Amino acid sequence: MDQQYGQERFATTIESDEKVEPRDWMPDGYRSTLIRQMAQHAHSEVIGMQPEANWISRAPTLMRKMILIAKVQDEAGHGLYLYSATETLGVSRDELQEMLHSGQQKYSSIFNYPTLNWADMGAIGWLVDGAAIVNQIVLQRTSYGPYSRAMVKICKEESFHARQGYSILMVLAQGSEEQKAMAQDALDRWWWPSLMMFGPHDSESPHTEQSMAWKIKRITNDDLRQMYIDQTVPQAHYLGLTIPDPELSFDEETGHWSIGAIDWDEFWATIKGDGRLNRERIAHKVKAWEDGQWVREGAMAYADKHTPRLNKSA
Ligand code: FAQ
């Protein structure tokens, strides 16, 4: 395709809020930004299975166990849609795995915190999936077609995830004093890390301006975080829990909750690989990848054996 025609067409597509599709011309920076963000998103879904999978065998009832298995399985599915969508940009799944395992690509900071007890399953569903939904509902309008379409199904499933988390905490918050204390302790530990999921302040975010111009991002990090805070604080109050922030206050004029300072040193250390569980999470992921080698080899051998026959009959 003629380069100038491609550039003009890309500009018009973005301007008119249409979708960029895999075979369309796109700037190199647009492609590499999408690969970075979508791969990080896919890796987050897959690494994000670890903190919850840890609790499947310890869920308190058969019903809770079934629900948690379904949720963790959904996360695997989200990872698969997102890897497939990322592959449409010309990068293979093997390359993406390699970049995750070697630390060249990231996954969400939130999955470097430990899950200490059952209340943490409630906090992850309510707070972590809740934050993911706020971000992902907006990503349904992202300018890259395959990413935007993947978000539609993912958002529906995340909505179930958030509700199952809230329902776990509702039971605990209405239970014994010890159960209420568990719910409060989980909120205390997960509140600040969940706010960090939205990324650095806009003033410190190197990618936001360009990503907004390309309509990859539709709302900035700080604005999304504020939407999340406004939605989540009343939910905590409904549970009878206290947000662990002495500076939290409601501004009658703006109609928004304002919060104290986020610990950005903790955030940057975590995304640079020095969080509580970064090494364990990646070691576990690499081991699972190596243990699954025979399955991939078997699948490839099967495909090799059957492809010629399919081609012949075509
Ligand atoms: N963690 O300039 P920005 C889920 C990095 S899904 C780690 O603001 P950008 C479902 C960023 O990559 C959760 N790194 O960057 C689930 C960049 O690094 P680089 C995942 C972070 O991309 C629930 C640098 O900081 N969701 O939870 C983080 O414009 C339960 C500068 O930042 C997504 O990935 C972070 N929190 O905006 C699963 C959503 N924040 O490359 C299991 C899609 C920033 O310059 C259980 N992603 N960084 O070295 C996005 O919307 C964006 O990528 C942002 C960051 C908003 C995360």
Side-chain angles (χ1 to χ4, degrees):
M1 189 188 296
D2 172 61
Q3 164 103 358
Q4 195 186 343
Y5 172 75
Q7 277 172 347
E8 283 165 12
R9 172 120 190 255
F10 177 80
T12 312
T13 304
I14 299 293
E15 173 70 28
S16 56
D17 265 346
E18 284 168 30
K19 300 294 175 208
V20 177
E21 296 298 340
R23 290 194 185 138
D24 294 344
W25 183 92
M26 59 186 85
D28 291 345
Y30 180 84
R31 188 185 298 277
S32 60
T33 299
L34 279 170
I35 291 175
R36 176 183 62 77
Q37 177 168 327
M38 290 167 66
Q40 179 168 323
H41 198 161
H43 298 326
S44 303
E45 298 283 358
V46 171
I47 298 278
M49 294 163 72
Q50 291 186 34
E52 288 175 297
N54 192 31
W55 279 88
I56 289 174
S57 58
R58 287 175 281 170
T61 66
L62 179 61
M63 183 60 74
R64 289 288 180 200
K65 189 193 283 275
M66 284 159 56
I67 294 170
L68 189 59
I69 289 173
K71 178 187 189 297
V72 173
Q73 195 169 282
D74 282 352
E75 312 298 359
H78 298 175
L80 293 180
Y81 311 150
L82 285 163
Y83 282 127
S84 298
T86 313
E87 282 182 302
T88 65
L89 292 157
V91 58
S92 74
R93 200 171 298 198
D94 281 357
E95 287 172 296
L96 295 170
Q97 297 304 313
E98 176 47 37
M99 286 191 272
L100 171 64
H101 296 169
S102 66
Q104 280 176 71
Q105 286 183 338
K106 300 183 171 68
Y107 57 89
S108 181
S109 50
I110 193 76
F111 301 118
N112 292 303
Y113 293 86
T115 41
L116 304 180
N117 58 44
W118 178 251
D120 288 5
M121 295 305 97
I124 290 188
W126 170 39
L127 298 174
V128 176
D129 286 275
I133 293 172
V134 169
N135 175 292
Q136 291 172 166
I137 283 187
V138 181
L139 282 174
Q140 291 178 121
R141 293 192 294 114
T142 192
S143 57
Y144 188 55
Y147 194 20
S148 138
R149 291 188 286 274
M151 283 300 123
V152 176
K153 186 157 190 283
I154 291 181
C155 281
K156 287 190 183 140
E157 291 173 352
E158 298 289 22
S159 163
F160 144 63
H161 298 172
R163 279 182 235 172
Q164 67 84 37
Y166 199 71
S167 99
I168 290 174
L169 286 182
M170 184 86 89
V171 171
L172 292 175
Q174 291 172 352
S176 65
E177 284 310 312
E178 200 181 351
Q179 287 173 316
K180 280 184 210 162
M182 278 171 74
Q184 182 62 53
D185 166 62
L187 174 58
D188 291 349
R189 285 181 292 105
W190 291 92
W191 172 249
W192 291 105
S194 74
L195 299 184
M196 295 175 196
M197 286 176 71
F198 296 91
H201 283 312
D202 297 346
S203 54
E204 307 294 319
S205 160
H207 303 297
T208 291
E209 193 181 344
Q210 181 60 74
S211 287
M212 292 288 288
W214 279 329
K215 297 186 181 169
I216 291 174
K217 285 167 96 164
R218 306 302 303 247
I219 299 187
T220 69
N221 299 358
D222 282 330
D223 287 350
L224 281 174
R225 185 168 18 245
Q226 188 62 53
M227 286 163 63
Y228 172 71
I229 293 166
D230 290 341
Q231 150 185 317
T232 310
V233 171
Q235 292 171 350
H237 292 163
Y238 185 77
L239 290 172
L241 301 179
T242 307
I243 298 281
D245 178 357
E247 290 175 52
L248 183 79
S249 63
F250 187 68
D251 185 331
E252 296 285 349
E253 260 179 41
T254 61
H256 294 300
W257 288 92
S258 77
I259 59 163
I262 293 173
D263 183 349
W264 292 113
D265 290 343
E266 177 178 317
F267 169 78
W268 291 115
T270 304
I271 71 167
K272 284 178 186 146
D274 277 329
R276 302 260 306 265
L277 289 175
N278 298 59
R279 288 168 195 81
E280 287 85 343
R281 295 290 188 235
I282 287 295
H284 187 83
K285 173 70 180 64
V286 171
K287 182 173 182 313
W289 180 256
E290 287 168 356
D291 289 350
Q293 180 65 24
W294 68 272
V295 179
R296 291 190 296 281
E297 281 168 8
M300 291 309 288
Y302 182 86
D304 280 349
K305 201 166 151 192
H306 292 272
T307 306
R309 203 170 59 212
L310 288 176
N311 284 347
K312 245 182 251 163
S313 60

